Amino acid sequence: MRTAAIGATRLELVRGDITDQDTDAIVNAANRGLSGGGGVDGAIHRAGGPRIMQECRKIGGCPTGEARITSGGDLEARYVIHAVGPVYNDGVSGEDRLLASAYRDSLRLAMENGLRSVAFPSLSTGAYRYPLRDAARVALETAIEFVKTERHDLELVRFVLFDERGLEEFERALDRLTTEH
Ligand code: ADP
């Protein structure tokens, strides 16, 4: 567990399961069809029940680098923000830009809905094969920049890493970013 204060917003890095979070919203590592799948996506739909998928079907889909919001169904979180990160190809196909954009668009939805807390998994680093070290840097850089520059009600932005290696990479990336500032 690691925390940092970015103005009035607390940034937290924890090890855990995204579906257990009691934040106002949790973020899903969704696909463009918003059609469910494995990893985070499967876990969220399993834990949250069928209402989330019904809402996803109505929305119809979401381009890479964007996000859409539904209710939280049976989850403790009131909302699920479905973010579509890029599939990692060669690292020079706009992956960083698209990953940053997926985080930013999720935070925009949290802001526009007046949310005070949001929890993210590490987008794109499972089935989409984004290297964890680079993904951690992009995730944290983007979140820090957003909370510093936008007017929002976010008191807590939490990153929930599923395993020890994920947590370590995020901790290292945060150390690098906060010593630079
Ligand atoms: P993507 O398709 O965007 O790569 P995945 O769901 O396959 O998304 O994986 C994203 C990351 O989330 C991976 O690092 C994986 O270890 C992690 N992960 C998988 N299940 C969970 C969970 N229940 N809570 C938090 N993180 C999870």
Side-chain angles (χ1 to χ4, degrees):
M1 162 116 175
R2 182 79 50 102
T3 64
I6 314 294
T9 308
R10 195 162 64 147
L11 200 70
E12 268 184 19
L13 310 181
V14 303
R15 187 168 167 192
D17 185 322
I18 193 74
T19 62
D20 292 336
Q21 306 304 312
D22 62 358
T23 42
D24 290 340
I26 63 171
V27 177
N28 183 15
N31 54 50
R32 282 187 298 176
L34 300 182
S35 54
V40 168
D41 209 347
I44 287 178
H45 286 290
R46 265 195 308 282
R51 194 142 56 90
I52 301 174
M53 184 50 78
Q54 283 162 15
E55 292 179 48
C56 283
R57 283 208 196 92
K58 277 199 195 130
I59 296 168
C62 175
T64 303
E66 294 186 21
R68 299 290 183 266
I69 192 165
T70 67
S71 78
D74 303 331
L75 294 166
E76 257 192 85
R78 281 188 290 138
Y79 299 96
V80 175
I81 295 173
H82 304 264
V84 184
V87 175
Y88 193 86
N89 179 23
D90 53 6
V92 291
S93 306
E95 289 96 336
D96 276 16
R97 180 180 58 77
L98 288 166
L99 186 60
S101 172
Y103 279 104
R104 210 177 299 115
D105 210 37
S106 302
L107 290 162
R108 173 189 66 81
L109 285 169
M111 173 178 80
E112 288 176 1
N113 285 276
L115 306 190
R116 293 181 190 279
S117 56
V118 59
F120 283 94
S122 172
L123 301 173
S124 285
T125 58
Y128 284 4
R129 301 185 314 272
Y130 209 114
L132 195 50
R133 189 190 154 112
D134 294 332
R137 172 182 50 79
V138 171
L140 292 170
E141 244 170 29
T142 307
I144 290 170
E145 176 71 16
F146 185 95
V147 298
K148 274 189 178 169
T149 56
E150 301 287 334
R151 269 178 65 96
H152 58 78
D153 302 313
L154 286 165
E155 292 162 4
L156 172 65
V157 176
R158 177 183 289 156
F159 289 87
V160 180
L161 293 317
F162 205 44
D163 54 27
E164 198 53 40
R165 177 158 176 251
L167 180 59
E168 276 172 20
E169 289 291 1
F170 270 70
E171 285 176 344
R172 282 196 204 110
L174 183 62
D175 289 344
R176 280 192 290 267
L177 288 168
T178 47
T179 48
E180 273 169 21
H181 288 155

